Amino acid sequence: MQRKLAAILAADVVGYSSMMETDETGTFQRLRADQKEFLEPEIQKYNGRIFKLMGDGLLVEFGSVVDAVECAAALQRGMALRNAKASVRNVLEFRIGINLGEVIVEGEDRYGEGVNVAARLQGLAEPGGIWVSGKVAKEVDGKLAVAFEPMGDHKVKNLAEPIVCYRVDLGRGTAAGNGRPQNGRATQTKISIAVLPFSNMSGDPEQEYFSDGITEDLITDLSKISNLHIVARNTTFTYKGRAVKIQQVAHELGVAFVLEGSVRKAGPRVRVTGQLVDKDGSHLWAERYDRELIDIFAIQDEIAQAIIEQLKLRLLPQEKAAISATPTEDVEAYTYYLRGRQFLHMCSKSYMLLARRMFVKASEIDPAYSRAYAGIALCDSVLHSWRYADISIEGILATSAKALELDPDLADAHASRGLALQYGRQREQAASEFELALALDPDLHEANYFYARFFFEEGDFEKAAELFERATQVRFDDYRSAALLACIYLKLGRPMDMERAARLGLQRAERELQLHPENSSPAQLGALVLAYLGERDRAKEWAARTLAIDPEDLNAMYNIACAYLHMGEHEAGLDLLDQVIPQASAHRFWWTSDPDLDSIRNHPRFKRLVERTIAPL
């Protein structure tokens, strides 16, 4: 048995399993592209040799430990640059661990403790980070312009002795070449935590909106703490309804801690449980709150405070104030608002009207509730655009102004105002409002979705695709953005991306239709993507189901018309457009620029219809 001393670099992709579940083909292609175009050339530059490729990572051998650390730093900096230039859907983050130790040589492969320790260090590293063993830090100390932060001793699986760990600080140079951070102080490392969707224990699926709302509020509160790195909602909600092990989640997301819990709402009382678990599965804190429903805000605050205490975090005064602040003090208004948010995302005419009623009720209970007014304005813009309600653009702008008067930094209010301005033909002002909404909250679904539609209307399909991709990631149940992505990629001549988006939209639409068979929205978008995929029989079944549920819904008729057009049944499509276009003239941009209508642009019947109903632009 041959043995040798080597520096081993272990790297893997953060959240790979979850990304593969969402988009298997796209994730695989992105990883292979990064590997061939960047990782392999960079590793060769530093005299490294890849001796094992896994689905989500690689193992590399170096003869020099200095080369290994220098290569790791170059890889992380290079990936950060690639991610900054890439669209959101193309972002991949790596964790890297490096060890110097004896390895067993067997042909081209390497085994032994030297490899095992590197793999364990990689598992401890944060996304985009590098952790090394004490041996590596000692050998490299003073030889490179990087600093090493001591991270303590870590007991890991299958190793008898704890590993002495250091984190490579890529953001600071060294003082006097001694390998230590300037001023003798280690850079404060953010503690990473994931908040899993709280389980709905009420026995009523209709109460999901409440448990989801509690989860989202906790994520928002903890995100206000500068020393915490909180995994985004769109990532953690991919685990909703799945039986998972905490250690698995922590490993996939690259976090040190996971918060999970449950909510049971019954009449005037609520029971909330929460527990904080570290990546090794050890319980650090657990509590059960059995209170009156009116105490729900206090419970959320107590959970946040418990996490702060357990993780020994020091808050700035402004952070304390931000966590303590609540959008409303009235739990009844809060409940109506959460219910309205649930209906809003269901999209059809009937549910949009229901959502508006919930938001109005919330604003009546608490006249100072800015989010409620933003919700009303958003619903009104959609209802106005399809002539489902007699609402003026001026009235919608007044409602959004009320929301901004109460909270000038409310991203929801800027997004709803942007949509109203868009339908009011004030497109430059609309774009400014959307940009402001995204600056305030990059993960706001409405801002990403409606701004994407804005660019779709402009014919800027690349920008629209980027925002729709983001919208599908922000909400794991967003089938509408996936369907529009499929349309865009079909227009751009990207069949693989089209099929990926269509399959994603279909999968999500099927799930939503199972949960809410009375809702026509997933049925109509499902019919459209089935037409894109060439599955004619199923597309016609879904089309018939749509029109049976909502025979007078203009949006439904339009989407089914587009499905018929893609299947080459132009007369059936035009029969529906005959009913839609005269009533929804506010959507004239769709008739003039929607790629779904390209096949009938020169059809005499369509040209007469458009000329009769649309004024020159």
Side-chain angles (χ1 to χ4, degrees), residues 42 127 179 259 402 523 539 550 575:
E42 202 71 12
L259 175 67
K402 175 69 173 177
D550 268 330
D575 286 344

Side-chain angles (χ1 to χ4, degrees), residues 168-356:
V168 178
D169 181 0
L170 298 174
R172 300 170 68 97
T174 58
N178 61 8
R180 289 187 293 275
Q182 296 176 16
N183 304 322
R185 295 179 298 179
T187 302
Q188 189 169 24
T189 305
K190 287 189 176 185
I191 297 172
S192 55
I193 183 171
V195 182
L196 294 182
F198 275 41
S199 302
N200 169 34
M201 304 297 290
S202 302
D204 178 6
E206 291 298 314
Q207 294 294 329
E208 290 286 336
Y209 76 93
F210 193 77
S211 55
D212 288 352
I214 300 297
T215 308
E216 291 176 1
D217 284 348
L218 282 169
I219 291 173
T220 300
D221 285 345
L222 294 173
S223 298
K224 297 170 183 175
I225 302 172
S226 56
N227 292 334
L228 278 182
H229 168 73
I230 309 297
V231 176
R233 173 201 183 280
N234 57 292
T235 300
T236 56
F237 266 72
T238 60
Y239 293 94
K240 183 178 171 67
R242 292 167 52 189
V244 293
K245 294 181 178 179
I246 294 300
Q247 296 98 315
Q248 176 191 348
V249 173
H251 174 74
E252 290 181 357
L253 299 181
V255 296
F257 302 95
V258 176
L259 175 67
E260 62 174 354
S262 64
V263 179
R264 183 188 298 274
K265 179 173 170 281
R269 296 194 65 81
V270 63
R271 175 180 293 174
V272 180
T273 66
Q275 56 181 356
L276 184 66
V277 185
D278 70 16
K279 61 180 178 293
D280 297 321
S282 301
H283 286 67
L284 304 181
W285 166 85
E287 188 62 81
R288 185 178 77 178
Y289 305 89
D290 198 341
R291 308 262 189 90
E292 295 291 326
L293 186 58
I294 58 174
D295 291 332
I296 190 63
F297 302 122
I299 293 172
Q300 292 177 20
D301 189 54
E302 288 176 36
I303 292 174
Q305 292 300 327
I307 292 169
I308 290 164
E309 291 173 10
Q310 289 297 322
L311 301 183
K312 298 178 173 58
L313 298 170
R314 292 185 178 181
L315 302 190
L316 299 171
Q318 60 267 34
E319 291 173 344
K320 291 181 181 178
I323 291 173
S324 300
T326 57
T328 179
E329 296 293 339
D330 193 298
V331 70
E332 188 180 8
Y334 175 68
T335 303
Y336 274 111
Y337 171 76
L338 292 180
R339 192 65 156 162
R341 291 281 297 175
Q342 180 195 32
F343 291 147
L344 176 67
H345 291 132
M346 295 171 74
C347 298
S348 68
K349 173 185 176 181
S350 56
Y351 277 111
M352 196 63 65
L353 290 167
L354 271 174
R356 187 182 192 279

Side-chain angles (χ1 to χ4, degrees), residues 565-576:
L565 295 178
H566 272 281
M567 292 186 288
E569 300 189 15
H570 292 169
E571 294 304 318
L574 284 163
D575 286 344
L576 288 168

Side-chain angles (χ1 to χ4, degrees), residues 95-212:
R95 294 174 297 197
I96 295 177
I98 304 174
N99 181 45
L100 176 64
E102 198 173 70
V103 298
I104 299 170
V105 178
E106 186 176 287
E108 295 297 312
D109 214 341
R110 302 291 181 265
Y111 300 96
E113 190 169 302
V115 178
N116 295 341
V117 171
R120 298 291 179 251
L121 286 162
Q122 164 260 302
L124 294 169
E126 72 280 3
I130 306 166
W131 279 38
V132 303
S133 64
K135 291 179 183 179
V136 172
K138 182 179 179 180
E139 286 294 324
V140 179
D141 188 17
K143 297 176 183 177
L144 293 175
V146 296
F148 295 97
E149 301 175 30
M151 305 303 290
D153 296 356
H154 286 258
K155 184 77 173 67
V156 297
K157 184 179 179 182
N158 295 335
L159 291 177
E161 297 297 323
I163 306 174
V164 180
C165 301
Y166 288 80
R167 176 181 177 272
V168 178
D169 181 0
L170 298 174
R172 300 170 68 97
T174 58
N178 61 8
R180 289 187 293 275
Q182 296 176 16
N183 304 322
R185 295 179 298 179
T187 302
Q188 189 169 24
T189 305
K190 287 189 176 185
I191 297 172
S192 55
I193 183 171
V195 182
L196 294 182
F198 275 41
S199 302
N200 169 34
M201 304 297 290
S202 302
D204 178 6
E206 291 298 314
Q207 294 294 329
E208 290 286 336
Y209 76 93
F210 193 77
S211 55
D212 288 352

